[in-house]
Amino acid sequence: MCRGDVVMVLDCGGGTVDITIHKLLSNPDEKFLCEELLPSSGGCEWGSKYVDIYFEEFLKEFFGDELYAAYIRNAVGRLDILKHFEMLKRKFCPGVEERSRL
């Protein structure tokens, strides 16, 4: 990358995905300098904790009210399921044909 290039930075955290755009004002052999063209736009519901929320909403719809209530009451079982779901999220690779089991 060199002076004049424009880059988009995505900071994907647990609760948000912050997006910002910068223009490079220096070459690689110079002291790093950039200009922020678009300030951070965090706060969108794109972070991984929202994936968990939507996953549990899916479970509620899939299980039905009675079974979902039992799932919520069983804290140890719920944490175990969410732990395995977290492992699946980390292994997720779009475009790769592979089935995952929870």
Side-chain angles (χ1 to χ4, degrees):
M1 296 192 310
C2 59
R3 182 187 327 235
D5 286 350
V6 176
V7 296
M8 178 185 296
V9 178
L10 300 171
D11 177 10
C12 304
T16 62
V17 174
D18 295 306
I19 303 169
T20 185
I21 298 178
H22 289 81
K23 181 177 183 178
L24 300 178
L25 302 177
S26 59
N27 284 313
D29 59 339
E30 301 171 338
K31 181 179 177 184
F32 179 78
L33 188 60
C34 68
E35 171 188 3
E36 186 176 60
L37 300 178
L38 181 68
S40 177
S41 61
C44 299
E45 293 184 2
W46 296 345
S48 66
K49 79 175 186 181
Y50 293 99
V51 175
D52 295 343
I53 290 168
Y54 296 132
F55 173 67
E56 289 200 301
E57 286 177 5
F58 163 79
L59 291 180
K60 183 176 185 177
E61 186 176 311
F62 183 78
F63 288 154
D65 291 337
E66 187 176 335
L67 190 53
Y68 185 76
Y71 161 77
I72 292 297
R73 283 192 305 270
N74 183 348
V76 173
R78 180 181 180 200
L79 288 175
D80 194 43
I81 288 172
L82 290 174
K83 177 183 78 173
H84 283 87
F85 183 61
E86 180 65 30
M87 291 186 321
L88 284 175
K89 287 189 309 185
R90 292 174 187 214
K91 287 179 18 180
F92 179 71
C93 185
V96 174
E97 295 290 328
E98 180 182 316
R99 290 186 60 124
S100 297
R101 291 181 20 185
L102 178 62

